[in-house]
Amino acid sequence: MWTADEIARLCYEHYGIRLPKKGKPEPNHEWTLLAAVVKIQSPADKACDTPDKPVQVTKEVVSMGTGTKCIGQSKMRKNGDILNDSHAEVIARRSFQRYLLHQLQLAATLKEDSIFVPGTQKGVWKLRRDLIFVFFSSHTPCGDASIIPMLEFEDQPCCPVFRNWANNSSVEASSNLEAPGNERKCEDPDSPVTKKMRLEPGTAAREVTNGAAHHQSFGKQKSGPISPGINSCDLTVEGLATVTRIAPGSAKVIDVYRTGAKCVPGEAGDSGKPGAAFHQVGLLRVKPGRGDRTRSMSCSDKMARWNVLGCQGALLMHFLEEPIYLSAVVIGKCPYSQEAMQRALIGRCQNVSALPKGFGVQELKILQSDLLFEQSRSAVQAKRADSPGRLVPCGAAISWSAVPEQPLDVTANGFPQGTTKKTIGSLQARSQISKVELFRSFQKLLSRIARDKWPHSLRVQKLDTYQEYKEAASSYQEAWSTLRKQVFGSWIRNPPDYHQFK
């Protein structure tokens, strides 16, 4: 019904056509990462899908994000008006929340068709059964999913790493390529210093590193491992076949691609040893900062959390009967390990139990496209030839949502592009996807609904601050507490005083 390449192509076309030049990388000098959420609608008649006559589905990009940066903890603000994390995956998810808020408003005011239908309780909604959401990212998410085995004919694309890096808090990885240890540089295996891959498309190597089996992909891999008799036409909305292919294992694993994301306090920590034992896999990690530690968890960790708690967050859970889950994740063309992706996004949480009703660890389907993002680091490097100057990540982040008012939002350093020190704190210096603006949109939704039609969780108590509204989403908070107790106990949480704004 759809393929990984179709999802990637749709997102690349949307990026090229619907997003303006503002916020995009400077040609031949900058690169960026892209992420998006795609809505897929099945036909109403539920026709049977066959290889010779695949069922046609409707695909639409509903949110998109670009970006590679995050701010240090010293720049965080207690009024919720700055974006702490501007990695593409996080921008796309926050943009998706904007879209969900708009769709809830359509449903509640009965003005237009919405993706939601009434739930079983008053004031609560649920997603239409003919819809699913697919997440696309042009590169593997930072953190655990990017710790990929390196075979003997490849070079480490990382800069030199200090011997005591894992244990020395004074040695900081950078969120900018101008300094050693960069997170996206270290985990970006398409670095220009990486030797040209010499395996045919689809060739794989299987080896055991740090006690985990890895499947290394160097070319076309439409749906992760594919068994004989299963082709891309079998990727249906209702279920995507995922089966394991046995790889030859003829190449030796000598190292791992490095991630600049550092283990959080309380985790076992990386050994820092040379070669394949450098990283411990499966650990929670925090994104690096340039001389200023961040409090932003890696995209691998955040996506694993979304796969249990949903993408909607605590606020929107007040209006939903069940979480909004992703059905699949598609990764663009880049060095890739199916095992690392499965471990990072699903495996770490697969034994979580006793979650509240409606919550659960999802059977997320993880696929890879063979299409390269034209403004990825490797694509820009290939085109720039002998252009002067260094290739650096774009400093801006773009947010786009399928909403009628101000769908586009371009930021730099967590604020709308062009913000000055004098304007910080004003309404115009707020991103549309900042905490305070999403909270304002939530309150606007509430104001358009008669109080007697509010969900029970909002009618039983008087709520005031952002923190109070989040805490009142009891089922979500119970699920999050369960997940932390059983798996993510070292997760870095911001102090409550960062959520006291109104």
Side-chain angles (χ1 to χ4, degrees), residues 322-378:
E322 52 197 25
I324 304 298
Y325 288 114
L326 300 169
S327 294
V329 170
V330 174
I331 301 296
K333 186 174 183 179
C334 63
Y336 172 93
S337 164
Q338 184 74 13
E339 280 77 6
M341 287 289 295
Q342 293 277 354
R343 175 193 71 231
L345 305 192
I346 306 171
R348 294 186 291 174
C349 301
Q350 63 185 2
N351 295 321
V352 173
S353 60
L355 289 164
K357 183 181 179 182
F359 291 87
V361 183
Q362 302 302 295
E363 291 297 324
L364 183 69
K365 308 306 174 185
I366 303 173
L367 321 169
Q368 188 186 26
S369 166
D370 194 38
L371 303 181
L372 181 68
F373 178 42
E374 67 177 4
Q375 292 193 313
S376 67
R377 185 178 177 190
S378 60

Side-chain angles (χ1 to χ4, degrees), residues 262-483:
K262 303 183 74 170
C263 297
V264 301
E267 291 285 337
D270 291 319
S271 71
K273 295 178 181 178
F278 184 89
H279 282 307
Q280 291 288 334
V281 298
L283 303 181
L284 288 174
R285 295 177 180 272
V286 65
K287 290 166 182 168
R290 187 170 183 176
D292 183 13
R293 286 184 178 272
T294 80
R295 297 184 64 85
S296 298
M297 301 299 293
S298 75
C299 288
S300 292
D301 299 333
K302 290 185 175 184
M303 292 178 71
R305 175 181 170 176
W306 304 343
N307 197 46
V308 180
L309 304 183
C311 288
Q312 75 295 320
L315 285 184
L316 272 67
M317 202 63 220
H318 284 292
F319 285 101
L320 297 173
E321 190 165 278
E322 52 197 25
I324 304 298
Y325 288 114
L326 300 169
S327 294
V329 170
V330 174
I331 301 296
K333 186 174 183 179
C334 63
Y336 172 93
S337 164
Q338 184 74 13
E339 280 77 6
M341 287 289 295
Q342 293 277 354
R343 175 193 71 231
L345 305 192
I346 306 171
R348 294 186 291 174
C349 301
Q350 63 185 2
N351 295 321
V352 173
S353 60
L355 289 164
K357 183 181 179 182
F359 291 87
V361 183
Q362 302 302 295
E363 291 297 324
L364 183 69
K365 308 306 174 185
I366 303 173
L367 321 169
Q368 188 186 26
S369 166
D370 194 38
L371 303 181
L372 181 68
F373 178 42
E374 67 177 4
Q375 292 193 313
S376 67
R377 185 178 177 190
S378 60
V380 175
Q381 181 65 41
K383 287 188 292 185
R384 74 191 300 261
D386 297 324
S387 298
R390 284 181 293 184
L391 181 61
V392 297
C394 180
I398 305 175
S399 160
W400 182 92
S401 302
V403 297
E405 297 180 13
Q406 293 181 268
L408 192 71
D409 192 68
V410 181
T411 56
N413 300 312
F415 292 113
Q417 199 170 48
T419 298
T420 64
K421 288 184 178 180
K422 287 185 178 180
T423 58
I424 288 177
S426 64
L427 291 177
Q428 64 264 34
R430 293 177 177 179
S431 164
Q432 295 293 320
I433 57 171
S434 63
K435 287 187 181 76
V436 68
E437 281 300 300
L438 288 177
F439 185 38
R440 190 181 68 83
S441 297
F442 174 83
Q443 291 171 315
K444 186 177 179 181
L445 171 62
L446 273 180
S447 69
R448 295 190 175 187
I449 304 171
R451 190 178 182 89
D452 62 341
K453 293 183 179 179
W454 285 5
H456 177 75
S457 59
L458 296 176
R459 280 184 282 119
V460 295
Q461 54 187 316
K462 179 173 172 54
L463 304 170
D464 191 22
T465 66
Y466 178 73
Q467 177 75 9
E468 289 172 358
Y469 275 97
K470 283 168 62 79
E471 290 298 328
S474 56
S475 63
Y476 181 92
Q477 296 299 341
E478 181 186 346
W480 180 212
S481 177
T482 300
L483 183 59

